[in-house]
Amino acid sequence: MSDNKRLIIIDSNSLLHRAFHALPPLANKKGQPTGAVYGFLLTLFKAIKDLTANYIAACFDTEKPTFRHQKYKEYKIHRPPTPKDIISQIYLMKEVLKSFDIPVFEKDGFEADDLIATIAKKTKSQAETFILSGDLDNLQLVDEKIRVYTLGKGIKDSVLYDEQKVVERFGVKPEQMNDFKALTGDASDNIPGVPGIGKKTAAELIKKYQNLKNLYSELATDTAVLKPKIKEALKNNKESAFLSLNLVETKKDVPLEFTLESSKFGQFDKEKVKNIFNELGFYSLIDRLSNF
């Protein structure tokens, strides 16, 4: 382990979903589905090794509606129900994390992303932070001290997003990702954005005007030099654009009792973890415990 303080914050629901879909179904002797938990742990172990992390915290969503649902009733409305085989593994995943003495955070009314943003902000001056996630919603947080570690094409592949990598992928800086998504929208979360504005156009607009506020200021004074179709789409969907901006921005001030030292990793009871792994049938992972 590194002497430097390196914190992994796990976007747990997201990672479970990715692991569930990336691996064939697995179950223990009792018939309990375990594949998502197994894939989650494979990714976590790889991240700990790759990042030489010595602090870990895990964040979960809850089933309750969030403040985003209050602002926009259609938020995530088209999402299919979470498969029951994932739901049955969420509790299991929390138990495994607790056996590693990894603190688990969840709070009704907020998403895991809000908790992640809050913890990342709290620890920014204390540690290098890596957000372990199955999606890219947290790229807005990337800076010189915060990066996003996510899965590539398969469970064994990974991508580490720093500031340069975000620009390479999307054409905008991390701090502009919210403005970018306010224009493109996000179909998976049913965030409307501006109809007719794709990723390429959105990136060009944000690069030129820096942010959504500047873009609409130019539109208001009619000094923005834009194609008529784009100008019309923007003008007709101003409310939608700013609503989308509000929805995609993560909260960084969620009331949480978190301290970096409480997430120190490595001093867990290995026998306790071994017993859980035996119950789950994760025999191949038991040998890896000697790495910690």
Side-chain angles (χ1 to χ4, degrees):
M1 291 284 181
S2 169
D3 291 334
N4 296 327
K5 293 182 177 181
R6 298 185 131 212
L7 168 68
I8 288 176
I9 312 173
I10 310 170
D11 184 3
S12 302
N13 293 77
S14 168
L15 195 59
L16 272 173
H17 273 80
R18 279 294 299 271
F20 177 80
H21 292 292
L23 291 176
L26 296 174
N28 68 359
K29 291 177 181 178
K30 296 178 181 178
Q32 162 68 48
T34 59
V37 175
Y38 182 74
F40 184 111
L41 289 170
L42 285 180
T43 307
L44 176 58
F45 287 2
K46 183 177 187 298
I48 293 169
K49 181 182 177 182
D50 289 352
L51 305 173
T52 58
N54 44 15
Y55 295 82
I56 306 175
C59 297
F60 282 83
D61 296 320
T62 73
E63 295 178 356
K64 298 289 178 68
T66 70
F67 69 94
R68 293 181 179 88
H69 294 92
Q70 294 171 359
K71 289 181 179 179
Y72 183 54
K73 289 181 180 179
E74 285 77 30
Y75 182 63
K76 292 189 176 182
I77 199 169
H78 298 310
R79 280 218 177 167
T82 302
K84 67 180 189 308
D85 284 354
I86 293 182
I87 293 172
S88 71
Q89 293 183 71
I90 292 175
Y91 173 78
L92 196 58
M93 191 69 249
K94 290 176 186 175
E95 291 303 301
V96 173
L97 289 168
K98 287 172 184 176
S99 75
F100 277 101
D101 288 336
I102 294 173
V104 169
F105 296 91
E106 55 189 338
K107 197 170 185 69
D108 287 346
F110 299 94
E111 295 180 51
D113 286 346
D114 300 307
L115 311 188
I116 290 166
T118 298
I119 292 172
K121 183 183 177 184
K122 280 188 175 189
T123 58
K124 192 171 177 179
S125 63
Q126 304 171 57
E128 284 185 81
T129 298
F130 301 88
I131 299 165
L132 173 57
S133 181
D135 62 44
L136 301 178
D137 290 345
N138 293 295
L139 293 183
Q140 60 184 277
L141 300 173
V142 170
D143 60 20
E144 73 284 352
K145 293 293 291 289
I146 301 170
R147 278 159 278 181
V148 171
Y149 182 101
T150 189
L151 298 175
K153 291 181 180 179
I155 200 80
K156 294 181 180 179
D157 301 321
S158 58
V159 182
L160 183 62
Y161 281 92
D162 57 10
E163 293 172 292
Q164 184 180 344
K165 189 77 173 176
V166 174
V167 174
E168 286 175 5
R169 172 80 186 268
F170 293 96
V172 298
K173 299 173 184 176
E175 62 267 28
Q176 297 173 319
M177 282 299 298
N178 289 339
D179 300 275
F180 172 80
K181 289 183 77 172
L183 292 175
T184 63
D186 186 339
S188 65
D189 290 342
N190 200 38
I191 292 170
V194 176
I197 302 291
K199 291 181 179 180
K200 184 180 177 181
T201 300
E204 289 171 353
L205 289 170
I206 296 304
K207 275 195 289 187
K208 185 174 181 179
Y209 296 101
Q210 300 304 310
N211 56 51
L212 200 66
K213 185 179 178 181
N214 288 349
L215 170 59
Y216 274 96
S217 292
E218 293 284 329
L219 278 173
T221 57
D222 213 29
T223 55
V225 181
L226 299 169
K227 292 179 180 178
K229 274 190 177 181
I230 293 173
K231 187 178 285 190
E232 184 181 0
L234 289 167
K235 285 186 173 181
N236 290 343
N237 293 280
K238 180 179 178 180
E239 187 177 335
S240 174
F242 280 96
L243 169 64
S244 299
L245 180 64
N246 203 258
L247 292 172
V248 298
E249 185 174 7
T250 50
K251 277 199 168 292
K252 301 173 184 65
D253 57 355
V254 180
L256 281 182
E257 292 185 13
F258 174 86
T259 63
L260 184 62
E261 288 310 310
S262 69
S263 66
K264 181 77 174 173
F265 178 72
Q267 302 302 313
F268 56 90
D269 183 341
K270 288 183 178 165
E271 286 305 313
K272 186 177 180 181
V273 177
K274 282 181 185 178
N275 289 336
I276 291 178
F277 280 7
N278 276 315
E279 286 178 22
L280 297 175
F282 295 169
Y283 310 117
S284 63
L285 296 184
I286 292 175
D287 290 341
R288 297 199 188 188
L289 296 177
S290 60
N291 297 329
F292 307 126

